[in-house]
Amino acid sequence: MMSNNEESEMMKLLGIRDIDDLFADVPEGIKGKIIRIPNGISEDELIGEANLISHLNRNHEYYNFLGNGIYDRIIPSSVDAIVGRSEFETSYTPYQAEISQGMLQSLFEYQSIVSDLTEMDMTNSSMYDGYSALGEAVRMAFRINGKKEVLIPANMYDDKVKVIESYTEGLDMKFVRYSLDHNRGYVNLDDIQEKMTDNTAAIVCELPNAYGILDENIPRIQEIKKDSVLISYYDPISLGSVIPPGQYGTDIAVSEGQQLGLHPNFGGPLLGLFSFKKEHVRRSPGRIIGETLDTNGKRAFVMTLQTREQHIRRAKATSNICTNQALMALTALTYLSIVGKNGLKKIADATVSASSNLKNQMIKHNLIDPNTVTGVPFSDVLVSFKKQQNGLQQQLAKKMILGGLEMSRLINKKYDSINNAHFFSVTERTTKEHIGKLIDTLEVL
């Protein structure tokens, strides 16, 4: 702790008369209330003060129905305990294999478990997040066949499309939307087939799709994709009960891995899962950790492939991804190892059960149109209310419920026409009590 003299000397050097002068540029209207903590208190007293302040938070009292990419799932305490070990939290990029065997092995095991989960040949050691992984996948498709047209779902989230467009800037790519039917919420295979041309580089599909539906038409796209690259954007938790992308002809499988043990944390940090067929490895972005033998014949791990421009000639680089999400990847590995195959299936089944219960209760109470998007939802439940719901999210928040996101905030109205459409998201944490509270509240709004 600095003395008063030291503080005065520092302020004199900076040319200020008071500590508050450091924040003079912050408008008064957005300054928070200053929390006064007594000077010179012990660590235990400081923790006590912090606990008192934390009790002002009321977030734990809310019923949470938000999702659409970031989900509040149950995370076993052992995940945080393992990931929080200092040798993992403080480790740096493992350039020197001889002193980084622990981190290299953890990334190798991460690649292996994600490949097993997706039934894809190979997985890299992670990307920044799901959306940027999708952008890299489209660039990779261009490198594979040199074609420039990409078919994407009409209902793909706007932000996801913008990331793809940003990643492909300069490649002169053309994006063609294919339609979905509003009855079941499935992709229109005839429309995909009609829009395929000799210049189609890739078809991008989502499972669950942007309506949140477990789309039974997705596995059939392999029958019509010809020599284009099939890119699948999947939900890793859903693979507990849904066929993996490797079983339906996927060339590149990408996903957001936040659900695999990462707390929501107001939207980050995130984790991009990136898997692909073996024959495309020389066109892949990022880095791959491989297993080998050292000079004594013992099992060892090394960075086998790294194709960013700082390591090879710029013209040969496949990506400028400068790092991976090592700690996030380790978290996903730890989570998947702890819950196991049977645990993941129980989590996926519990999610489907909660989403079906939510939708059925809304239909039973005559709140929504039962004939719109009738397919089975996974985490994100899209509903079309029978009456206009202006300001629904704000009204629910006043009743301690988070959710009811308007579909138009995610999907461009130009490509969709479902009326009064809102999302409510569920996980294995969502109970019948939560759903009952939501239904009771919606009935009186």
Side-chain angles (χ1 to χ4, degrees):
M1 182 177 292
M2 71 177 76
S3 67
N4 289 337
N5 286 339
E6 289 172 327
E7 186 174 306
S8 298
E9 287 177 15
M10 290 176 67
M11 288 195 291
K12 183 178 179 182
L13 181 66
L14 293 171
I16 60 176
R17 292 180 295 179
D18 190 277
I19 294 294
D20 288 341
D21 290 347
L22 294 172
F23 308 100
D25 292 334
V26 180
E28 290 297 329
I30 63 171
K31 282 184 179 177
K33 184 179 178 182
I34 296 175
I35 299 170
R36 297 294 181 188
I37 295 178
N39 290 326
I41 62 176
S42 68
E43 179 183 359
D44 187 59
E45 290 171 324
L46 180 61
I47 292 173
E49 289 286 337
N51 283 332
L52 285 175
I53 295 169
S54 71
H55 288 160
L56 297 175
N57 292 328
R58 302 184 65 182
N59 287 350
H60 64 283
E61 298 174 2
Y62 280 84
Y63 296 86
N64 187 10
F65 290 92
L66 289 176
N68 298 94
I70 306 292
Y71 301 93
D72 183 20
R73 293 197 175 276
I74 296 172
I75 300 174
S77 299
S78 47
V79 173
D80 289 334
I82 292 172
V83 174
R85 291 178 63 91
S86 60
E87 59 266 46
F88 289 127
E89 278 198 322
T90 59
S91 62
Y92 184 58
T93 301
Y95 290 121
Q96 292 177 272
E98 60 272 31
I99 62 170
S100 305
Q101 284 300 292
M103 181 50 74
L104 284 167
Q105 181 173 357
S106 73
L107 291 173
F108 176 82
E109 302 292 357
Y110 158 80
Q111 294 171 179
S112 302
I113 205 167
V114 174
S115 293
D116 285 347
L117 180 69
T118 56
E119 296 194 18
M120 298 294 291
D121 296 334
M122 305 188 74
T123 297
N124 72 17
S125 62
S126 77
M127 313 293 280
Y128 296 134
D129 56 35
Y131 285 18
S132 60
L134 180 57
E136 291 281 359
V138 173
R139 288 189 67 93
M140 182 173 166
F142 172 74
R143 289 193 295 271
I144 290 172
N145 57 31
K147 298 179 180 180
K148 294 195 173 184
E149 287 185 2
V150 180
L151 303 188
I152 61 175
N155 65 344
M156 180 177 278
Y157 292 172
D158 283 349
D159 286 345
K160 200 178 283 185
V161 176
K162 289 175 183 174
V163 171
I164 296 175
E165 290 175 341
S166 176
Y167 261 78
T168 55
E169 179 78 24
L171 294 181
D172 195 26
M173 304 286 286
K174 178 183 178 183
F175 298 98
V176 180
R177 304 272 189 153
Y178 62 82
S179 63
L180 294 89
D181 82 75
H182 289 172
N183 292 328
R184 292 183 301 172
Y186 289 2
V187 300
N188 184 339
L189 293 172
D190 291 337
D191 196 41
I192 293 176
Q193 196 160 17
E194 187 177 313
K195 289 174 177 171
M196 292 278 295
T197 71
D198 292 339
N199 197 31
T200 300
I203 303 171
V204 179
C205 66
E206 300 174 291
L207 186 63
N209 64 33
Y211 290 151
I213 297 298
L214 295 172
D215 189 336
E216 295 180 14
N217 278 348
I218 296 298
R220 296 178 57 194
I221 294 179
Q222 64 176 320
E223 300 167 9
I224 57 176
K225 80 180 190 74
K226 299 179 181 176
D227 61 349
S228 64
V229 173
L230 178 58
I231 301 172
S232 299
Y233 193 95
Y234 64 94
D235 179 316
I237 295 294
S238 75
L239 299 189
S241 57
V242 173
I243 63 170
Q247 282 193 20
Y248 50 87
T250 295
D251 294 280
I252 308 170
V254 294
S255 179
E256 172 51 58
Q258 177 271 327
Q259 300 182 73
L260 304 178
L262 300 174
H263 297 275
N265 293 331
F266 295 97
L270 303 176
L271 169 67
L273 312 184
F274 198 103
S275 308
F276 45 88
K277 288 182 176 177
K278 187 177 181 179
E279 60 259 38
H280 303 317
V281 64
R282 289 291 175 182
R283 301 285 184 265
S284 67
R287 57 178 61 159
I288 294 175
I289 309 302
E291 181 183 14
T292 185
L293 298 175
D294 66 13
T295 54
N296 297 317
K298 294 181 178 178
R299 189 186 189 208
F301 302 91
V302 294
M303 239 191 278
T304 303
L305 189 68
Q306 43 187 329
T307 57
R308 61 174 168 159
E309 60 186 43
Q310 286 141 300
H311 291 126
I312 61 177
R313 285 177 293 171
R314 173 171 290 185
K316 297 289 185 181
T318 59
S319 168
N320 194 31
I321 287 288
C322 292
T323 185
N324 60 352
Q325 295 283 70
L327 191 62
M328 307 304 113
L330 172 66
T331 305
L333 167 64
T334 307
Y335 174 87
L336 287 170
S337 301
I338 289 172
V339 302
K341 183 178 180 180
N342 292 335
L344 195 64
K345 184 176 189 314
K346 288 179 181 177
I347 295 167
D349 289 348
T351 301
V352 173
S353 177
S355 63
S356 298
N357 184 25
L358 171 60
K359 194 162 187 177
N360 289 337
Q361 289 296 317
M362 286 192 175
I363 293 172
K364 180 181 176 182
H365 289 79
N366 202 31
L367 293 169
I368 61 173
D369 178 1
N371 299 314
T372 300
V373 189
T374 59
V376 176
F378 189 61
S379 285
D380 302 321
V381 182
L382 177 64
V383 298
S384 175
F385 282 103
K386 289 189 172 180
K387 65 178 184 179
Q388 188 73 28
Q389 297 286 350
N390 294 324
L392 177 63
Q393 219 177 333
Q394 291 74 19
Q395 294 184 63
L396 289 174
K398 291 177 182 176
K399 303 295 182 181
M400 309 303 289
I401 295 173
L402 301 175
L405 187 66
E406 286 183 67
M407 188 183 73
S408 59
R409 291 184 60 184
L410 299 173
I411 300 171
N412 193 319
K413 287 183 178 178
K414 178 181 177 183
Y415 298 103
D416 214 294
S417 58
I418 299 177
N419 295 321
N420 303 325
H422 294 255
F423 280 106
F424 293 88
S425 301
V426 300
T427 68
E428 73 278 16
R429 304 191 84 152
T430 308
T431 66
K432 291 180 180 178
E433 179 200 358
H434 296 165
I435 293 172
K437 169 72 175 178
L438 174 63
I439 298 296
D440 291 345
T441 305
L442 288 171
E443 283 193 304
V444 297
L445 287 180

